[in-house]
Amino acid sequence: MRTNSQISALFGPDTATRLATARILVVGAGGIGCELLKNLSVSGFHHIHAIDLDTIDLSNLNRQFLFQRKHIKKPKAHVATAAIKAFNPSLDTSAMQANIKEEQFDVDWFSQFALVFNALDNLEARRHVNAMCLATRVPLVESGTAGYLGQVTVIKGGETECFDCHPKPAEKRSFPVCTIRSTPTAPIHCIVWAKNYLFVQLFGEPPEEEREVVEEVEAGQEEELKALKEESGALAALSEAMGSGDFAQRIFNKVFCHDIGRLLSMSDMWAQRQPPRVLDYDELEHQACDPPADHSNLSMAQAFILFRESCHTLARRRLEGSPLAFDKDDQDTLDFVTATASLRSYVFFIDQKSPFEVKAMAGNIIPAIATTNAIVAGMMVTQGVLALAGRLDECHTAYLSYNTKRPRCVIRESLSKPSLLCPVCRRRYLTLRLADPAKTVLGDLLDYISCLEGDMSLGMSRDNISVVEGSRLLYDPDYDSNCSRSMQDLCLVPGKMVTFANEDDSDVVPVILSIARPLTKERGGLDILIEGFEYIPEYIPLPQQSLKEECSATAVDNNSIEFGKRSIDDVNEVFESPSKKHAFD
Amino acid sequence: MSSENNNNNNTATNGISKEEVALYDRQIRLWGMEAQARLRQSSIKVIGVKALTLEVCKNLVLAGLGSITIQDSTPINEIDFETQYYFHEADLGQPKDVVLAERLRILNPLVNIQTGEGRSEDTTYDLVVKIGTGIGGDSLEVNGKCRKRGERFIAADSFGLFGYIFIDCLDAHEYIEEEKPKDDNAVVKRISLTASYKPLADSLTSKPGVANLNRLVRKFPPLVFVCQTLSTISQLEDIKSAEVLAEAVRRSIEGRGIPDGVVDDVLFGRVVQSLGTEFVPCASVVGGTLAQEILKVITRKDMPMNNWYTYDAIKADAITCQL
């Protein structure tokens, strides 16, 4: 093995050994992932595992530097690990093209790693990895970048804030129904209309209700809503005519003439607003124009032609197969959305956006460059080394600024303690193993939990416990019909996480039981085994402990005061009480 | 992100081919077509190959710079394999610039990559970047020569857990700043500005003008005085102890109205431990920052740091100041 002598000089021989022996997981081999893997490969790490479900695309090559043109369409994780092996042939690497949320990546699988790095681009996967790392007590280095901006932080269950300690803003923007369907004022409204309404109604799988990007309708708008529903119905009916040669014309006349005419008849709506105009199919049909340019706005004639062509192409594709989904890389669908959004903008006298811009807005493209990823990945590995070296107190949450007039390019803060109200990390994470999931029934597990005593007591029993998995309520004192069903029958299999809470006493910390792999015979013939009691995060009070102990007033958690759910005494004692030390420490 | 070229209906925009527009799509969406076009037409020289050089060149080549000339004929050494990841066992003994150029060409064949002295006397570079102090002679001299030729100059280094960047964009650097629009509809406002930079020689003798130590370190990270000193020392191996470094720093802050003790012993100790080593995560941060500043210089979009940046990887201190 090629050792890195410089790591030993900079961090000491003990840390250098830890880095060389630790198994590292990198989740995501894209923009941040490539820079991260490169850094890890030459910083004294040896065992590196990468996972990414994606394949390589041309637009990745401006920053995902481990990939070249010849790798387009190949899986990212595999190409990336092969590339870093060339940087350091002594590495022990492995790659998987898979989704980290799959059940095969259960607590036992995560437990093999000493450190996890997140290089993801979506909230859902981040939340999932956060939960798995909390459950296994593996430190997690979290990150994100967009354009010139980025951030890094370190999450260690029980010691720092977790990903969900502070609520994150929702990823999708939502708009009122009427703005999209009746009174748009901005290009984005027209694009959302084209992509989420028109395209879906004609070529896609329409949802039962238009729920996705619309907010609640205010009172007094029920009539308008009813009219809109009728309109959607009529449009859906029109899609029966998809095979006919005048399909595009029928659609055009409906959405750009007839429906607009209906809107115009509601004169109140336009008392304070610019009224829309109706478009003329025949007039536009006879207009000549140049081919459109990607970075220029479409003229009405250009939009018209693009609409007609894409409409017929999509109709043909739909008739030949299953419902279509919008994809910014599927040119036909993009053309349709671009064209219809453009025409709608002309109808409502809204500014045009070029095809280049529409692609970004409809496709949620986030601009991305190599430099931001390089900076973030550099900070991530430094933090990772410190975390492995047991120097968590020297770790930071860091935010990149760009073009700031202030001296600091990176805003950094020490890591915060976990939030007392966090629904994810203010939990006891334990693991459950069963000898025979087909034999053990839910009732057996409840009995087992109820009987736990002393330091292993969870403060829960059959008459106060609630059991939830995902969005399913499996048991509560009024709902016990599942007690006789086997764990397997209830789909409580490895990879799942089940929450147990004491319904009567909110001071009892809920338990999240991660279902792990089955018990082997060597475990002494047990049917049920719950593990992980030895780890009690400092801030979680044990069920027997009194909540009225004396302490100083300094360590007040501002979050708790703000939410006002716990009294100031409770808050103080959790941070300051000296008797918090657990028997197993 | 307003469309900047409404009258060009050809496949090429600003002279950029359709193929390049597809490749650079995600960055064009960030800094615009005009900046990308400027990038393509520019030519820079980079002197000195170490981990920081690999990082900066990688970033600039990915961005689609027109041409990069790399100068450093030092033969590749065993120790280089630990951190200079583009070099493989088979490259042992080969000149660094030649091998690096080969690897960078694979990264982006559209960029023109040259090696060695590079140019004839009449061509000027848009920017000369000197990495480290071991190659290319004295940084003060190089900066002086650049000034005579009207060339902008950057000196930078990344060693162990520290790094620095010094920028000289000459006396009147014109650039554009865009005012962020309040919503998608508003037109982006472009403001034309000028900034003045000083040569390294002036910077090294400048007087911060803050006598009080506490106020001084709020404006100037102590690390910057250490880096100023290091930027003039070509044989960093000569700094064998914290005491030697402290003495060198004391000499370089003499007569500038800077209180003694601006740099504490702990920092001297940490810096000495980092000298002569490389830590790629640190080079990655400095290299990313440096490449971003180089892009600002070349595209004349946004103001390049004026004029020192220092980085302390453990403290996560990335701080700019003007000396």
Side-chain angles (χ1 to χ4, degrees), chain A residues 6 35 38 356-357 371, chain B residues 1 29 55 58 278 292:
Chain A
Q6 299 174 66
E35 291 288 332
K38 169 258 299 170
F356 178 78
E357 291 165 306
T371 52
Chain B
M1 287 188 284
R29 290 184 187 280
E55 286 296 314
K58 159 191 45 98
E278 292 193 306
Q292 208 45 58

Side-chain angles (χ1 to χ4, degrees), chain A residues 533-544:
Chain A
F533 290 97
E534 68 276 15
Y535 180 78
I536 308 275
E538 273 177 32
Y539 65 95
I540 289 189
L542 300 175
Q544 302 93 323

Side-chain angles (χ1 to χ4, degrees), chain A residues 2-7 9-11 35 38-39 41-43 57-59 61-69 86-87 147-148 173 185-188 290-297 328-329 350-351 353-357 359-361 365-372 374-375 377-379 381-382 385-386 391 394 396 398 402-403 405-410 412, chain B residues 1-10 13 19 21-31 33 55 58-59 62-63 79 81-89 106-107 109-110 160-161 175 177 184-185 218-219 273-274 276-282 284-289 291-293 295-296 301-303 305 309 311 313-321:
Chain A
R2 183 204 285 170
T3 51
N4 188 325
S5 58
Q6 299 174 66
I7 297 298
L10 292 171
F11 293 99
E35 291 288 332
K38 169 258 299 170
N39 288 339
S41 72
V42 285
S43 300
D57 181 70
L58 175 65
S59 65
L61 302 184
N62 81 316
R63 63 203 183 278
Q64 297 174 25
F65 80 104
L66 299 178
F67 311 141
Q68 292 143 44
R69 272 168 200 277
F87 294 160
Y148 294 117
R173 276 177 79 182
T185 51
I188 186 66
D290 293 327
D294 207 44
H295 288 258
S296 310
N297 295 337
K328 68 180 188 311
D329 296 315
I350 293 170
D351 285 343
K353 286 285 178 190
S354 68
F356 178 78
E357 291 165 306
K359 183 174 182 179
M361 293 163 85
I365 294 179
I366 299 177
I369 47 180
T371 52
T372 314
I375 295 169
M379 296 197 298
V381 173
T382 306
V385 171
L386 291 175
R391 292 164 65 177
E394 292 179 78
H396 294 97
Y402 179 74
N403 230 21
K405 306 288 183 223
R406 302 168 71 177
R408 286 192 180 271
C409 314
V410 171
R412 84 269 181 276
Chain B
M1 287 188 284
S2 53
S3 24
E4 292 181 78
N5 209 9
N6 275 315
N7 50 15
N8 191 343
N9 281 327
N10 303 330
T13 326
E19 175 209 12
V21 171
L23 172 63
Y24 299 131
D25 182 85
R26 296 299 189 267
Q27 66 200 40
I28 291 174
R29 290 184 187 280
L30 186 61
W31 54 56
M33 203 64 100
E55 286 296 314
K58 159 191 45 98
N59 296 334
L62 287 172
I79 189 88
F81 297 134
E82 283 189 9
T83 54
Q84 293 165 34
Y85 49 87
Y86 273 139
F87 300 146
H88 312 140
E89 300 285 354
I106 299 172
L107 193 56
L110 298 169
L161 304 168
Y175 63 98
E177 253 178 29
D184 282 333
N185 279 345
R218 270 207 287 278
K219 258 186 99 174
Q273 191 191 39
S274 276
T277 67
E278 292 193 306
F279 184 53
V280 173
C282 181
S284 196
V285 174
V286 181
T289 308
Q292 208 45 58
E293 295 308 302
L295 292 174
K296 285 182 189 170
K301 190 172 181 299
D302 298 323
M303 189 184 82
M305 290 169 178
Y309 160 95
Y311 179 61
I314 299 297
K315 307 253 178 261
D317 280 341
I319 304 173
T320 58
C321 65

Side-chain angles (χ1 to χ4, degrees), chain A residues 254-271:
Chain A
K254 164 121 180 71
V255 298
F256 298 122
C257 297
H258 179 266
D259 291 349
I260 306 302
R262 183 191 76 77
L263 282 176
L264 282 168
S265 73
M266 306 176 59
S267 37
D268 288 344
M269 208 177 256
W270 311 109

